Amino acid sequence: MDVGGQWSRLPWRWITLSLLLCVVNLVSAQVKYNVPEEVKEGYVVGNIAKELSLDVRNLAHRRFRIVSGPDDALFQVNHNNGELYVNKRIDREKLCDGNAVCSISLKCVMEDPLEVHYVEIEITDVNDNPPIFPRSEQQFEIAEHTLLGTRFQVQTARDPDLGMNTVRHYKLSQNELFDIDIRERHDTKIPFLVLKKALDRERQGKHGLILTAIDGGNPPKSGTLIITVIVLDINDNRPVFSRDSYTATILENVAPGTVVIKINATDLDDGMNGEIEFSLGENLEGKIHDLFTLDKSTGELQVKGKIDFEETDVIKLDVRASDKGQPPLIAEAELSIKVTDINDNSPEIEITSLSNVVSENANPGTAIALISVSDKDSGVNGRVICALPENMPFELKSSFKENIYSLVTKGRLDREVTSRYEITVTATDLGKPPLSSFKILNIQVSDVNDNPPEFAQNSYELYLSENNVPGDSIFSVTAFDRDLNENAAITYNLNQGDLTSFLNINSETGIIYALKSFDFEAAKTFQFHVVASDSGAPSLSSNVTVNVFILDQNDNVPVILYPVSANGSAEGVEEIPRNVNAGHLVTKVRAYDADIGYNGWLLFSLLEVSDHSLFSLDRYTGQIRTLRSFTETDEAQHKLLILVKDNGNVSLSATATVIVKVVEPKEAFAASDVKNTVKEDEENNVTFYLIITLGSVSVLFVISIIVLIVMQCSKSTDYSSKYLQEPNYDGTLCHSIQYRSGDKRYMLVGPRMSIGSTIVPGSNGNTLVIPDRRRRDSGEVRIIVNFLS
């Protein structure tokens, strides 16, 4: 069937757009269309976006959708072009159950801002169903002396289609005895078999006919019924009802067994031909037989099933009176039953949640949900009033259309006071007694970014050993945010660009990694700032200072300053007169170590010596002295191999060789001029190195003191002095550094201190524990002692 061609010749749609009252930012309009049934899926009903003057580009972003309509979603909206199209096959007969006007109401919603539009679609009929008889065969028993013109009601063909597409006429197969006559009852064409020629049972006792029902479609459809006529003897009086039609009124939900009406009929015949039995008409719908039962003897019509006003308010049926003659004669009458409504349906609440999360800074009047209420009852029983509990920062505002409300904010919301609301919407009808129903709407108050991240401490101090492994984590910081979700999602960053070459931070965990190995001799302390930022819009942030103190490790080999190194070895020659006394200073081995503390504390020892009885070596100063006077039997030349090592956990060392030549006093004096000249040059070189070393150490010391003073000025002033005085010491080149961490004080100094304290061995140096006379309750004060020789 060419449905499209059929409807292309007719106005297939019409649109009515009306702008009505706008309540709480809701813009509503109504559009009407006509759509034929049985069209293919994807059939375009119309461009709803164009009809409603909507911007097609915003349909998907604003979530334009159909929120109410048939349960099987017959229609959908194309977000790309705004067209309303058929999503599933439409069966008008199934959808509207034979109603003359088949209309579907759709409710369309567009969010942000909220708009509600109403679309009414009328489903027009097409000729998709052929006429169908209730049964494929029907039999009549007709007396042979039946008068000409007698009418016999035949089954009525049912065609679910409407208008021209329903049954238009009947056609009886060619015969000489019967004709077909059509009468209309309840807008239905009922066929009657009319006797046009007298029957003769002795000539033919049985006749076969075919009745064809034809609808008015193009092309027409048809259905057939096989009619069998059996000719009987006379029963010439048929039952007669007391009235041509009957009416009755009942309340819905009446109890089964209730008598609705009693039907009377009489028959003038005697005996079996005059006995009457009552029954319901054969052409009634199946559900009528489920609702009522008719006593065949008394004619009482009783309620059998549940009567529901909401399904139908008027029930029409046919009743039959049949005698017991052979053949029986039948009469029919119409019965109309009016159903009276009672308040037996509670209101129904439909909530279309447009936003179940509302921001705590939402303005009063912000729309949250769209609420529709309905009641299947009629009249006062179907009128509904909606209400909310008191003391709620929300209210209901009615829409232009009855029984449609919008839930809006009434006052300011505060997530810190209440983060979640359970709103009970109550709907009550005006029946007696009233019936009510309720629905709970959960509203979550979303957070706004009004709290910056906070660190657990105002600043952090990190003590890190030098020569750390690059890539290892060295520290971690943690911040928290009182906001929620994205507003509390914290990322960490370093705010100094020049530090990114040797520091990195995990933006999610706050773990800090060293990208290179630190060298205590190059830098002893530095600081950086960690910035914690949340993911709110706009983002809030805070920062914290991390002070880093590099701790020394024994990673520097002692350097021999005298004797002067040449070709990879330190070797020197000393000449002394043979007549020197015991305790004579032969020379002094000078060395230094770039490390501090025990790592830089140098000790001297003799590895090799030609005569142990002649020379001694001071293990702390490196001075070589004679133990006794020389004799004539002593050798003229002595070789001393001296080991210089530090006191680190893994000791590092260097060696120096001193050649001592013993000469006669005259030779010593004669050679003194030459030797003094050479020594003068050597002493000048040694002095130059000493000046450079002392200058470097002094500069590092001054810088460290300045940095520490600046850092300590921002801390607590519990002590009258934050630094210890420089201790006295004997030995080689020295330097000192002082740290402070909380209530502890640390000082790095040289050897042989004059402070009356006890040395406690540590892992990376020596720790000096002294009592703190200025603050008894703060615990011990630890001083880390490091030195450089």
Side-chain angles (χ1 to χ4, degrees):
M1 180 182 295
D2 185 8
V3 177
Q6 176 183 354
W7 289 97
S8 62
R9 296 188 294 270
L10 299 174
W12 61 276
R13 66 173 183 171
W14 57 275
I15 302 174
T16 303
L17 180 63
S18 60
L19 181 62
L20 301 177
L21 178 62
C22 178
V23 178
V24 195
N25 299 329
L26 296 177
V27 178
S28 301
Q30 185 162 338
V31 178
K32 292 187 177 181
Y33 295 100
N34 286 350
V35 178
E37 65 171 331
E38 301 294 341
V39 295
K40 294 182 179 179
E41 294 179 8
Y43 176 86
V44 177
V45 179
N47 195 314
I48 190 171
K50 181 178 179 181
E51 305 293 349
L52 297 173
S53 300
L54 301 176
D55 190 352
V56 176
R57 295 170 296 180
N58 294 333
L59 294 181
H61 176 69
R62 294 183 59 190
R63 295 183 61 198
F64 184 73
R65 65 189 190 278
I66 298 173
V67 299
S68 69
D71 295 336
D72 51 355
L74 297 177
F75 301 93
Q76 291 290 347
V77 176
N78 189 330
H79 287 170
N80 296 326
N81 52 26
E83 292 180 343
L84 180 68
Y85 65 92
V86 176
N87 188 47
K88 292 184 179 179
R89 172 181 172 272
I90 302 175
D91 188 346
R92 184 184 186 280
E93 291 72 33
K94 180 179 179 181
L95 186 64
C96 295
D97 197 19
N99 292 334
V101 177
C102 183
S103 180
I104 298 176
S105 294
L106 303 179
K107 180 164 55 181
C108 303
V109 172
M110 179 177 288
E111 298 181 7
D112 193 24
L114 177 63
E115 293 183 24
V116 180
H117 301 281
Y118 297 91
V119 178
E120 185 174 351
I121 302 176
E122 182 177 353
I123 309 301
T124 56
D125 184 59
V126 299
N127 190 27
D128 59 337
N129 292 284
I132 299 175
F133 289 91
R135 298 188 304 274
S136 61
E137 295 183 7
Q138 186 172 2
Q139 180 175 302
F140 291 93
E141 295 179 347
I142 304 176
E144 61 178 329
H145 297 299
T146 301
L147 297 177
L148 299 181
T150 301
R151 311 164 69 86
F152 303 93
Q153 184 174 338
V154 185
Q155 294 182 53
T156 302
R158 299 293 182 183
D159 191 334
D161 298 323
L162 298 175
M164 294 294 297
N165 297 326
T166 191
V167 177
R168 303 302 299 170
H169 61 278
Y170 293 85
K171 181 179 179 182
L172 189 63
S173 59
Q174 185 69 34
N175 70 94
E176 298 179 352
L177 300 176
F178 297 93
D179 202 353
I180 196 72
D181 185 29
I182 306 299
R183 290 188 179 182
E184 290 192 2
R185 181 184 298 172
H186 308 319
D187 297 329
T188 302
K189 296 183 181 299
I190 301 176
F192 288 86
L193 194 64
V194 180
L195 182 63
K196 65 178 182 179
K197 187 176 180 181
L199 298 174
D200 188 354
R201 188 185 65 82
E202 288 71 22
R203 182 179 176 185
Q204 185 176 355
K206 185 176 181 180
H207 301 274
L209 305 172
I210 296 178
L211 179 64
T212 303
I214 304 171
D215 64 23
N218 185 17
K221 295 180 180 293
S222 62
T224 58
L225 172 67
I226 298 175
I227 300 176
T228 301
V229 178
I230 297 176
V231 182
L232 301 177
D233 282 334
I234 291 177
N235 178 22
D236 56 348
N237 289 288
R238 65 182 58 254
V240 176
F241 285 100
S242 59
R243 286 182 290 177
D244 294 335
S245 62
Y246 295 89
T247 60
T249 302
I250 59 172
L251 294 174
E252 67 169 327
N253 292 337
V254 294
T258 302
V259 177
V260 178
I261 193 174
K262 184 177 182 180
I263 300 171
N264 294 316
T266 58
D267 193 312
L268 299 178
D269 294 324
D270 293 329
M272 296 294 293
N273 293 332
E275 292 184 12
I276 298 176
E277 289 184 345
F278 298 96
S279 63
L280 295 175
E282 292 184 353
N283 295 319
L284 298 180
E285 298 179 0
K287 63 181 180 180
I288 298 296
H289 295 277
D290 297 332
L291 296 177
F292 301 99
T293 180
L294 183 61
D295 190 297
K296 65 179 182 179
S297 300
T298 62
E300 290 183 347
L301 185 69
Q302 296 180 352
V303 175
K304 178 182 178 182
K306 180 181 178 181
I307 308 298
D308 192 353
F309 173 85
E310 286 68 42
E311 291 186 3
T312 179
D313 58 346
V314 177
I315 302 174
K316 294 183 177 181
L317 48 83
D318 295 330
V319 292
R320 302 175 63 186
S322 174
D323 60 27
K324 296 182 179 181
Q326 293 297 328
L329 298 180
I330 300 172
E332 292 189 350
E334 298 180 4
L335 174 58
S336 179
I337 302 174
K338 296 181 179 179
V339 182
T340 303
D341 180 49
I342 62 174
N343 191 26
D344 61 341
N345 290 281
S346 299
E348 296 180 359
I349 302 174
E350 177 190 357
I351 296 180
T352 303
S353 182
L354 303 177
S355 177
N356 57 0
V357 177
V358 59
S359 176
E360 63 177 321
N361 63 349
N363 294 324
T366 300
I368 298 175
L370 187 67
I371 301 173
S372 299
V373 295
S374 60
D375 196 311
K376 294 180 180 179
D377 296 320
S378 62
V380 176
N381 297 331
R383 294 185 59 186
V384 181
I385 297 175
C386 271
L388 296 179
E390 296 182 357
N391 302 322
M392 280 283 220
F394 304 95
E395 62 180 345
L396 290 173
K397 288 195 174 181
S398 59
S399 177
F400 76 97
K401 198 167 184 179
E402 187 179 0
N403 291 341
I404 295 181
Y405 300 86
S406 57
L407 179 66
V408 301
T409 57
K410 184 171 63 174
R412 292 287 180 180
L413 304 177
D414 189 349
R415 187 194 68 84
E416 286 68 31
V417 176
T418 305
S419 61
R420 181 175 174 271
Y421 290 92
E422 284 191 355
I423 304 174
T424 302
V425 180
T426 303
T428 306
D429 61 29
L430 300 180
K432 292 184 179 180
L435 300 177
S436 62
S437 59
F438 68 91
K439 214 162 212 182
I440 296 177
L441 183 62
N442 291 312
I443 301 297
Q444 191 76 29
V445 181
S446 64
D447 184 52
V448 296
N449 192 25
D450 55 354
N451 292 286
E454 298 179 11
F455 287 95
Q457 298 178 209
N458 294 329
S459 63
Y460 295 90
E461 292 182 355
L462 169 61
Y463 293 89
L464 178 64
S465 297
E466 66 173 331
N467 299 324
N468 56 292
V469 178
D472 282 359
S473 62
I474 60 173
F475 199 58
S476 66
V477 294
T478 303
F480 68 95
D481 197 309
R482 288 180 291 176
D483 295 320
L484 299 176
N485 301 327
E486 290 82 2
N487 296 332
I490 298 176
T491 56
Y492 302 90
N493 292 285
L494 300 176
N495 69 343
Q496 286 110 327
D498 55 346
L499 296 179
T500 57
S501 61
F502 58 89
L503 288 179
N504 189 20
I505 188 169
N506 188 311
S507 61
E508 296 180 357
T509 64
I511 298 176
I512 301 169
Y513 300 89
L515 301 180
K516 73 170 189 176
S517 180
F518 293 102
D519 187 0
F520 174 84
E521 289 70 37
K524 295 176 176 56
T525 181
F526 64 91
Q527 68 175 205
F528 59 91
H529 301 282
V530 179
V531 179
S533 304
D534 59 31
S535 300
S539 176
L540 301 179
S541 63
S542 60
N543 62 73
V544 68
T545 301
V546 180
N547 298 303
V548 182
F549 299 96
I550 307 301
L551 300 179
D552 182 52
Q553 284 187 335
N554 191 25
D555 60 344
N556 289 280
V557 178
V559 177
I560 307 297
L561 297 178
Y562 180 81
V564 178
S565 299
N567 298 323
S569 63
E571 184 174 335
V573 179
E574 296 290 340
E575 292 184 352
I576 61 173
R578 183 177 291 274
N579 60 351
V580 296
N581 296 323
H584 176 76
L585 176 63
V586 178
T587 187
K588 180 179 181 179
V589 178
R590 295 177 177 86
Y592 83 96
D593 195 313
D595 298 318
I596 64 172
Y598 271 111
N599 298 328
W601 185 2
L602 300 182
L603 297 176
F604 302 85
S605 62
L606 284 171
L607 282 181
E608 296 180 11
V609 61
S610 58
D611 190 343
H612 289 281
S613 64
L614 279 177
F615 302 99
S616 67
L617 176 65
D618 190 296
R619 66 175 304 183
Y620 297 111
T621 64
Q623 293 179 351
I624 302 174
R625 295 181 181 271
T626 58
L627 291 174
R628 61 178 175 80
S629 299
F630 289 94
T631 65
E632 292 182 357
T633 60
D634 291 329
E635 296 290 336
Q637 179 171 311
H638 299 272
K639 179 179 178 182
L640 284 74
L641 181 60
I642 300 166
L643 174 67
V644 183
K645 67 176 182 179
D646 56 31
N647 280 268
N649 285 340
V650 179
S651 179
L652 302 177
S653 63
T655 60
T657 303
V658 177
I659 305 297
V660 180
K661 293 182 178 182
V662 182
V663 298
E664 296 300 326
K666 293 181 180 180
E667 294 178 3
F669 290 125
S672 62
D673 292 338
V674 177
K675 187 174 181 179
N676 287 340
T677 303
V678 175
K679 279 195 172 184
E680 183 178 352
D681 293 337
E682 293 177 354
E683 291 293 336
N684 288 338
N685 291 334
V686 172
T687 303
F688 175 72
Y689 292 135
L690 289 174
I691 291 174
I692 292 177
T693 303
L694 288 172
S696 301
V697 171
S698 300
V699 170
L700 290 174
F701 175 74
V702 171
I703 293 175
S704 301
I705 293 299
I706 293 174
V707 171
L708 289 172
I709 290 174
V710 172
M711 292 171 56
Q712 297 298 329
C713 286
S714 62
K715 295 187 176 182
S716 171
T717 58
D718 291 340
Y719 303 116
S720 59
S721 174
K722 297 177 183 174
Y723 303 97
L724 298 176
Q725 296 181 354
E726 195 71 33
N728 298 323
Y729 53 86
D730 289 328
T732 57
L733 301 178
C734 302
H735 60 278
S736 63
I737 295 177
Q738 303 183 38
Y739 293 155
R740 174 200 258 324
S741 175
D743 294 337
K744 306 275 191 309
R745 292 179 295 150
Y746 304 88
M747 182 173 73
L748 311 176
V749 298
R752 293 195 180 181
M753 294 170 293
S754 59
I755 298 175
S757 308
T758 302
I759 295 178
V760 181
S763 61
N764 293 311
N766 293 333
T767 302
L768 199 62
V769 182
I770 62 173
D772 190 349
R773 299 182 178 86
R774 288 161 292 190
R775 186 172 180 179
R776 295 292 183 183
D777 59 350
S778 63
E780 292 180 330
V781 178
R782 293 184 178 270
I783 302 176
I784 299 177
V785 181
N786 288 338
F787 50 87
L788 173 64
S789 295

